[in-house]
Amino acid sequence: MSLHELNTFPGVTAEPDAATQQFVFNHTMLRVKNIEQSLDFYTRVLGFSLVEKRDFPDAQFSLYFLALVDKAQIPSDDAERHTWMKSIPGILELTHNHGTEHDADFAYHNGNTDPRGFGHICVSVPDIQAACERFETLGVNFQKRLTDGRMKNIAFIKDPDEYWVEIIQPNF
Amino acid sequence: MSLHELNTFPGVTAEPDAATQQFVFNHTMLRVKNIEQSLDFYTRVLGFSLVEKRDFPDAQFSLYFLALVDKAQIPSDDAERHTWMKSIPGILELTHNHGTEHDADFAYHNGNTDPRGFGHICVSVPDIQAACERFETLGVNFQKRLTDGRMKNIAFIKDPDEYWVEIIQPNF
C-alpha cells in the first residue's frame, strides 16, 4: 500500500498536530516472575543492556529498564543516563513484584490465549538464519521456527515468562 | 544505581555477544477491536504515522504498523519504507481481527487486571503539562492524571481498547 493510501486510510490523521512533534514511543512494560532469569535472557540472549533500576520497597516491586543499543551510546553519568533513557525509542521496562519467583504456581499471562490483548515484542536482526541457529545453540524455546507454518521469514522465540519475541530481518 | 552496579547485577551479561550487535528492539504488537478508532487515537492524539498495512484475507486479519517519527524520515518508496520500518526501534504494530468492531460484547484485555502480564506502552513528551492539557482538551480518557497518586511526574492515558499509555517527560 502506497504512502498516499496509508495517509488517507479511515481514521488516519495524515498531518500530525505540531504539539506531537517531539513525542517518542519510549518503552513497553512487561511484568516478569523471576527477574534474574529475565535479565539473563534479555542481556545474554538478545544483547540488551540494563540501563536503570528503580526500587519501590514499600510497594515491594522494582523496575528494570533495558536498551538494545551499542554500549558506547550509554551515558555513564547516572542523571544523564536517566534523561537519555527516557528520550529514546526502544526501551524495555520489566516490572518485578518481589517474591513471585518463589511461588511455584505463579505465572504471568502472555496475552496470546484468552483473554487476549498484547501479542508480542519484536527484535530485528541482521541475519535471521544465523540468529535462529544461535538461539537453538543457546537452548532458547521457540514458539515458531523459521521452518514452521506459512511465513518462512519470521520466527518467534519465548522469554522466561513465555512472552513471545518475534524475530525478523529487515530485508528478508 | 551506577552503571557498574547495573552491569554486575545478578543475571546480567555485561558484555553482549558480538552476534547481537545490530539487534534492534523493533516493535510491540497489540490487538485492537476497532482499527479506525485506534488509528485515530494513535495518529491524531499521539502523532504516529501509519507506515505499512498488511492484509491476510484468508485468516481475516490485517496488520497496521505505526511510527512516531518526523514525516520527512518516512521513505516514500514502498519497498524502501518496508525495509526501513523493520530496521528502526519504536514501531507499534496493531492487529485487527476483522469484524470484532461489530460485536458489542467483544473486548481485548489490557493486562492490568487478572490475568496480568503486559502493563503499558509509554510515550515520552517534551512538555508533560502541555501534553496532558491537550489530552484533556481532546477528551482523552485518563487512567492517572499528573495530580493523582504519589508520582506527580507521570500520567497514564487510555487508548480505545483501554490499553494504558504512560506519558513521561525526560527531564521532569
Side-chain angles (χ1 to χ4, degrees):
Chain A
M1 188 172 272
S2 75
L3 200 49
H4 174 74
E5 286 173 284
L6 293 167
N7 280 331
T8 51
F9 201 81
V12 170
T13 293
E15 284 304 326
D17 189 333
T20 66
Q21 214 154 38
Q22 290 172 69
F23 283 18
V24 172
F25 176 15
N26 174 248
H27 72 246
T28 295
M29 187 279 263
L30 301 175
R31 296 176 180 88
V32 301
K33 173 176 176 166
N34 184 313
I35 191 62
E36 196 170 329
Q37 285 181 12
S38 297
L39 289 174
D40 174 61
F41 176 83
Y42 285 103
T43 63
R44 182 176 54 87
V45 177
L46 290 179
F48 280 82
S49 296
L50 181 60
V51 296
E52 186 158 314
K53 173 178 186 275
R54 295 182 62 198
D55 295 312
F56 297 81
D58 292 352
Q60 299 195 287
F61 71 93
S62 299
L63 307 179
Y64 297 77
F65 294 88
L66 297 110
L68 192 42
V69 296
D70 191 320
K71 288 275 181 190
Q73 289 178 28
I74 304 172
S76 54
D77 178 77
D78 295 352
E80 204 185 318
R81 190 171 63 257
H82 178 80
T83 303
W84 164 80
M85 76 102 186
K86 288 166 85 175
S87 67
I88 60 169
I91 296 287
L92 178 65
E93 176 184 4
L94 302 179
T95 294
H96 176 230
N97 288 301
H98 302 164
T100 51
E101 66 276 25
H102 302 305
D103 180 351
D105 295 330
F106 187 90
Y108 282 117
H109 177 63
N110 76 5
N112 294 308
T113 53
D114 289 332
R116 295 191 305 165
F118 164 77
H120 61 260
I121 58 174
C122 172
V123 169
S124 171
V125 304
D127 182 337
I128 196 167
Q129 295 280 1
C132 287
E133 281 165 26
R134 177 171 166 272
F135 296 144
E136 295 281 7
T137 305
L138 296 175
V140 171
N141 291 320
F142 278 77
Q143 172 64 30
K144 178 205 171 301
R145 288 183 165 80
L146 282 174
T147 47
D148 295 334
R150 277 201 203 173
M151 291 189 271
K152 307 298 185 196
N153 61 337
I154 60 171
F156 281 90
I157 58 175
K158 291 192 283 191
D159 92 345
D161 289 274
E162 306 215 334
Y163 291 116
W164 294 4
V165 182
E166 184 180 4
I167 307 296
I168 61 171
Q169 179 181 322
N171 56 352
F172 185 64
Chain B
M1 189 171 271
S2 74
L3 200 50
H4 174 73
E5 286 174 285
L6 293 167
N7 279 331
T8 51
F9 200 83
V12 170
T13 294
E15 285 304 326
D17 188 333
T20 67
Q21 215 153 39
Q22 289 172 70
F23 283 18
V24 172
F25 176 14
N26 174 248
H27 72 246
T28 295
M29 186 278 263
L30 301 175
R31 296 175 179 89
V32 302
K33 173 176 177 166
N34 184 313
I35 190 61
E36 195 169 330
Q37 285 181 12
S38 297
L39 290 173
D40 174 61
F41 177 82
Y42 285 103
T43 62
R44 182 175 55 87
V45 177
L46 290 178
F48 280 82
S49 296
L50 181 62
V51 296
E52 186 157 315
K53 174 178 188 273
R54 295 181 62 198
D55 295 310
F56 297 82
D58 292 352
Q60 297 195 290
F61 72 93
S62 298
L63 307 179
Y64 298 77
F65 295 88
L66 297 111
L68 192 42
V69 296
D70 191 322
K71 288 275 181 190
Q73 289 179 29
I74 305 171
S76 55
D77 178 77
D78 296 353
E80 203 185 318
R81 191 171 63 256
H82 177 79
T83 303
W84 164 81
M85 76 100 187
K86 288 166 85 175
S87 66
I88 60 168
I91 296 288
L92 177 65
E93 176 184 4
L94 302 179
T95 294
H96 176 230
N97 288 301
H98 302 163
T100 51
E101 67 276 23
H102 303 306
D103 179 351
D105 296 330
F106 186 90
Y108 282 117
H109 177 63
N110 76 4
N112 293 307
T113 53
D114 288 333
R116 295 192 305 166
F118 165 77
H120 60 260
I121 58 173
C122 172
V123 170
S124 171
V125 304
D127 182 338
I128 196 169
Q129 295 280 1
C132 286
E133 282 165 27
R134 177 171 165 272
F135 296 145
E136 295 281 6
T137 305
L138 295 175
V140 171
N141 292 320
F142 278 77
Q143 172 66 27
K144 179 205 171 300
R145 290 185 163 78
L146 282 175
T147 49
D148 295 335
R150 278 199 202 174
M151 291 189 271
K152 307 300 184 193
N153 61 337
I154 59 171
F156 281 90
I157 58 176
K158 291 192 284 191
D159 93 342
D161 288 276
E162 306 215 333
Y163 291 116
W164 296 3
V165 182
E166 184 181 3
I167 306 296
I168 61 171
Q169 179 181 321
N171 56 352
F172 186 62

